Amino acid sequence: MSEFNWKGVDLNLLVAFMAMYESGSVTAAAERVFVSQSAMSHSLAKLRELMQDNLFERKGHKMQPTERAEQVAPIVQQVLNQLQFEVFTSEEFCPDKYQGVCKIGLTDYAELIFAPAIYDAIVDSASKAKVSFIHANRENYQQLINDDKVDVIIGSFSLSDSNVVSEKIYTEKHVCMYDAQKITLHKPFSVEQFIQYPHALVSPDGKLQTQVDQMIGELGMSRRVSVASRNFLTVRNLISSRKLLCIVPELMAKIEFGNKSLSTIEPPLPIADFDISLFYKKDFASYEKNSWLRELVKTTISNQFIEQKKYH
């Protein structure tokens, strides 16, 4: 903080930047923030000096943002929103008045299962809000949180950052999914039957082996992984109409996507359960908007989990 020359920075410059970004005109931007056109031009010159970029370039009748302006615009908008709602506003947060963005990080699995229900819940509570679903994985989830690119993240991750808080929502177990029109399986389902067929694999990193292969190997056996994809929906489509087995989370297997022949059976191996949790930045714990969003997301996911368990 002390190394940067904050004396040259005026909060009004950020306001001027967003006015220019949204209007594409010096005149219109000046009118929007109630300053003269020359004052707006002066602010634009100061911004260009601070950011070392033209920021806006004339193309036809409009001032078009440069690549650098496009990059910083969401960040500037977030800063202004936080200052307005969390610093300069003493009123209690009201979802029905909120017009900002709810940024939610989701793994492929969590997005496939929960995104529609989360969107509906947010819109029902805050009809003027916008929702942005952002892809999260084991490699980027901590950076997404620490760089304030998301409000919350839903997934199954190991927690190693003291600045990140984790709250368990529910525990998920695994099932073996297959197309009952192509493969006939009955209980008791043995390991010998399990390795008889080729397997599809949900693999976020593209690897063709998991803990399942290690367990099978300890029994002196092996299976043939025929195909892998990081996308759960792709794997479901692959299993359909093919002689393929795949270990998937139970809730994902229960979601209907039009194929009535897909069926599940308990795996013949003790595959570990995993927790679906909500993650957020510790600094956000007391923010009213974040607190509201956390509770809404947790309740929505918990209710959907209960409903799926009830009717299947």
Side-chain angles (χ1 to χ4, degrees):
M1 293 284 288
S2 60
E3 296 178 359
F4 186 79
N5 180 21
W6 288 99
K7 293 182 179 179
V9 179
D10 182 344
L11 179 60
N12 287 316
L13 292 176
L14 301 184
V15 177
F17 173 86
M18 289 309 302
M20 276 293 303
Y21 182 79
E22 293 172 353
S23 67
S25 163
V26 174
T27 301
E31 292 176 353
R32 181 176 295 193
V33 297
F34 306 104
V35 299
S36 66
Q37 186 171 336
S38 61
M40 179 57 66
S41 296
H42 177 76
S43 294
L44 182 56
K46 187 66 176 177
L47 281 164
R48 285 168 168 162
E49 178 185 348
L50 284 169
M51 298 189 187
Q52 299 181 354
D53 187 88
N54 285 336
L55 296 179
F56 302 95
E57 297 174 337
R58 183 169 296 282
K59 293 183 180 179
H61 298 293
K62 291 200 69 175
M63 296 289 284
Q64 297 288 347
T66 64
E67 182 178 351
R68 172 66 171 157
E70 293 283 7
Q71 290 174 344
V72 302
I75 302 172
V76 172
Q77 184 63 69
Q78 178 185 355
V79 168
L80 292 176
N81 284 341
Q82 287 185 308
L83 288 172
Q84 178 182 352
F85 294 109
E86 297 167 11
V87 177
F88 299 129
T89 301
S90 57
E91 294 180 1
E92 183 179 354
F93 174 79
C94 295
D96 58 345
K97 295 180 181 179
Y98 181 65
Q99 301 182 41
V101 181
C102 297
K103 294 173 293 181
I104 302 170
L106 296 163
T107 60
D108 285 339
Y109 163 73
E111 184 168 357
L112 176 66
I113 304 299
F114 302 119
I118 291 173
Y119 170 77
D120 289 341
I122 291 174
V123 172
D124 286 345
S125 178
S127 60
K128 299 177 182 178
K130 295 176 282 291
V131 183
S132 177
F133 293 123
I134 300 167
H135 175 68
N137 55 45
R138 290 186 179 91
E139 284 69 40
N140 74 351
Y141 84 96
Q142 291 184 119
Q143 184 176 355
L144 287 175
I145 293 175
N146 286 319
D147 291 349
D148 297 346
K149 293 181 179 179
V150 295
D151 297 303
V152 297
I153 286 181
I154 306 301
S156 180
F157 306 117
S158 58
L159 191 60
S160 59
D161 189 334
S162 60
N163 292 320
V164 179
V165 179
S166 170
E167 296 182 12
K168 174 185 169 182
I169 303 177
Y170 73 93
T171 298
E172 179 70 284
K173 71 174 187 177
H174 292 91
V175 295
C176 182
M177 188 164 65
Y178 62 99
D179 190 327
Q181 293 182 353
K182 293 294 181 178
I183 298 175
T184 301
L185 298 176
H186 301 288
K187 296 181 181 179
F189 181 39
S190 67
V191 178
E192 287 77 11
Q193 289 175 297
F194 183 69
I195 65 173
Q196 177 182 343
Y197 298 96
H199 288 239
L201 194 66
V202 179
S203 176
D205 55 10
K207 293 181 180 178
L208 297 177
Q209 287 189 330
T210 69
Q211 59 174 331
V212 174
D213 296 280
Q214 182 178 347
M215 286 189 282
I216 296 173
E218 291 173 355
L219 298 174
M221 305 178 187
S222 64
R223 65 171 176 170
R224 182 169 72 88
V225 176
S226 180
V227 62
S229 172
R230 60 173 279 182
N231 189 284
F232 283 92
L233 188 54
T234 298
V235 170
R236 284 183 64 104
N237 290 334
L238 283 166
I239 295 171
S240 178
S241 303
R242 294 177 179 86
K243 290 185 177 181
L244 286 170
L245 300 182
C246 184
I247 301 296
V248 298
E250 183 182 31
L251 199 59
M252 193 278 281
K254 290 180 175 179
I255 298 296
E256 295 291 345
F257 286 102
N259 190 323
K260 302 296 184 180
S261 67
L262 292 184
S263 186
T264 63
I265 191 169
E266 186 176 343
L269 297 160
I271 302 172
D273 298 339
F274 63 97
D275 291 336
I276 295 295
S277 300
L278 178 143
F279 300 84
Y280 60 95
K281 194 172 184 178
K282 184 182 291 185
D283 294 347
F284 288 177
S286 61
Y287 288 4
E288 290 185 339
K289 177 230 175 171
N290 195 271
S291 179
W292 160 77
L293 184 60
R294 294 198 308 268
E295 290 306 310
L296 182 146
V297 169
K298 286 191 296 183
T299 299
T300 301
I301 292 177
S302 296
N303 288 343
Q304 184 166 344
F305 176 71
I306 293 170
E307 287 298 309
Q308 289 291 334
K309 299 290 284 187
K310 183 188 302 183
Y311 293 109
H312 291 81

